Amino acid sequence: MDKFMEIAIRGGLLLLLVVAVLHTLDRQGEFVSRTDFLWKAKLKVEQEEVETMRGINKILLENILPAHVAQHFLKKEVTKDLYHESYSSVGVMFASIPNYKEFYDETDVNKQGLECLRLLNEIICDFDKLLLKPKFSGIEKIKTIGSTYMIASGLRPGKEEGAFKNNEAVSEE
């Protein structure tokens, strides 16, 4: 009977050891699964942030560069080359409101300057609408800085020299 008790105790201890090991493995598997889930969730958030920043950068780049130049820098492959192109005939125009800084006033009459900014926004939007018309398709908005509006004509990528003069002459209306 003594031998039977010793085997039963050893068997019980072995069974307890097996249960403890299985429980530890289960907890470890649970911990790894939770950690993996949290890492994947964090990765998803970070990827969404990257995509958002990529979209913002694309909009900003397209806003400050001509469309064909922005596309050069937005290509998927990494390029270390700077963009350059040679044109024989290019025109640049700066339209500015003289003394805008003196006109801009942050008083209660101008709603803390909002009326001045609204007027400036209207003028810039009118210029932008004009550039959408087909007869101004050869003109590219370069940038707006404060009250200065900058555009250029003659930046026709991929067009042969003189093609704009011969085939795409703009009629004045």
Side-chain angles (χ1 to χ4, degrees):
M1 186 95 139
D2 229 0
K3 192 103 165 143
F4 180 71
M5 260 322 223
E6 193 177 306
I7 292 175
I9 291 174
R10 283 186 183 180
L13 289 175
L14 184 62
L15 184 60
L16 187 61
L17 180 65
V18 168
V19 168
V21 168
L22 289 176
H23 179 72
T24 304
L25 289 175
D26 180 50
R27 294 289 97 209
Q28 186 179 17
E30 179 74 20
F31 176 76
V32 169
S33 294
R34 285 178 184 224
T35 304
D36 187 46
F37 173 78
L38 292 174
W39 282 350
K40 285 181 181 178
K42 185 177 179 181
L43 176 66
K44 184 177 179 183
V45 168
E46 288 176 359
Q47 285 175 335
E48 289 172 356
E49 288 175 358
V50 166
E51 286 303 315
T52 302
M53 288 306 297
R54 186 173 285 138
I56 290 170
N57 289 341
K58 180 181 178 189
I59 290 169
L60 288 173
L61 195 61
E62 289 174 343
N63 192 29
I64 62 172
L65 295 174
H68 65 282
V69 178
Q71 291 306 315
H72 170 77
F73 290 108
L74 290 173
K75 288 188 265 184
K76 291 291 182 188
E77 65 269 359
V78 177
T79 179
K80 293 182 181 179
D81 298 333
L82 294 177
Y83 181 86
H84 67 282
E85 220 173 306
S86 178
Y87 295 99
S88 61
S89 179
V90 174
V92 178
M93 181 193 87
F94 293 92
S96 185
I97 300 173
N99 301 323
Y100 180 77
K101 289 183 181 179
E102 287 80 25
F103 169 72
Y104 181 81
D105 188 22
E106 291 187 2
T107 61
D108 288 334
V109 174
N110 285 330
K111 297 181 184 174
Q112 309 310 36
L114 287 176
E115 288 300 315
C116 299
L117 292 175
R118 185 194 57 74
L119 175 64
L120 180 61
N121 187 51
E122 263 185 54
I123 294 169
I124 290 172
C125 287
D126 288 344
F127 272 118
D128 288 344
K129 286 178 189 174
L130 280 173
L131 292 181
L132 293 175
K133 293 186 176 184
K135 71 179 186 175
F136 298 116
S137 65
I139 299 175
E140 180 83 35
K141 176 182 177 183
I142 304 299
K143 66 170 64 179
T144 304
I145 302 173
S147 65
T148 302
Y149 193 86
M150 179 182 172
I151 61 174
S153 66
L155 302 176
R156 309 282 298 181
K159 301 288 183 183
E160 292 180 21
E161 190 174 327
F164 184 71
K165 295 177 190 170
N166 299 334
N167 299 335
E168 302 176 22
V170 177
S171 63
E172 292 190 27
E173 293 180 15

